[in-house]
Structures are given as structure tokens and as C-alpha cells.
Amino acid sequence: MQNNRWLSTTGTSSSSRTSSIHEDQQQFFASKEECHLKSIKTFDDWEYVIKSLSKTSLVHDDTLKTAKLFTQVDSLSKNTKNSIEKTSKTLDQLLDKKLSILAAVKNFNDIKLLLDINAITRKHWISEEE
């Protein structure tokens, strides 16, 4: 009996079931295609976001590098300024020493002229030879 029941209903409702299944399949494929398109769009959107973040990150990294270079230049300029000041002080001290050495040499030359050491030494050597 059950076979007859299925057979009798299959003949009349098979076309409605087929069309219903066909419509369900079309809706399924439509929704599947729509989901596929939405997922592709989502991936494209994420790709755009990630690229934007990457570009922003690169700009941020470049900004940090530039800021670090500026601070390095600032510290280098301070070190250079300190070195120049120390060198200037050292040169001033050397100039003072040079002037004092020149004054001492001039004093020695003045003393030599006043003492007339050449004449004294000649007399000494001459008297030694005799």
C-alpha cells in the first residue's frame, strides 16, 4: 500500500516538487553566488584596509626614522659645539704658552747680549788652549 501511495502521489506532485526543488536550487545557487561575490568583496575590502594600514605604517616608520635622525643631528651638533669650545680653549692655552716661551727666549737673548757670552767663551777657550 505504501508503494501505491507513493506512486499515486508522485505522479501528481512530482512536477510541483520538481519545480519547487528547481526553484530551491536556483535560490540556493543565487544565494551561493551572492555569498561568493560578497566574500570576494570582503576579501578585496580587507586587502585594501591592510594595504592602507601598511602604507600608514610605512609613513609612521619613516616619520620615526626622521625624528631619530633629527635627534642624532642635535646631539652631534651639541658634541661638535663642545669639542670646538674645548679646542678653542686648548688653542688659547697653547698661545699663552707660546707667548711665555717667546718671552723667555727673548729674555735669554737679552741676557746673552748683556753678558756677551761669546766673548767670555772665546776668552775661556783661548785661555784653555794656552
Side-chain angles (χ1 to χ4, degrees), residues 81-99:
K81 182 181 175 186
N82 290 338
S83 296
I84 289 173
E85 287 174 356
K86 287 179 183 177
T87 304
S88 177
K89 287 178 184 177
T90 304
L91 286 173
D92 288 342
Q93 290 173 350
L94 284 173
L95 182 61
D96 289 343
K97 290 289 182 189
K98 178 183 176 184
L99 292 175

Side-chain angles (χ1 to χ4, degrees), residues 41-52:
K41 184 179 179 325
T42 302
F43 281 120
D44 289 343
D45 291 345
W46 272 109
E47 182 181 9
Y48 176 76
V49 167
I50 290 172
K51 284 181 180 179
S52 297

Side-chain angles (χ1 to χ4, degrees), residues 1 16 36 42 50 74-75 81-82 85 87 103 117 123:
M1 284 250 173
S16 67
H36 182 69
T42 302
I50 290 172
D74 188 44
S75 66
K81 182 181 175 186
N82 290 338
E85 287 174 356
T87 304
I117 293 177
K123 286 181 188 177

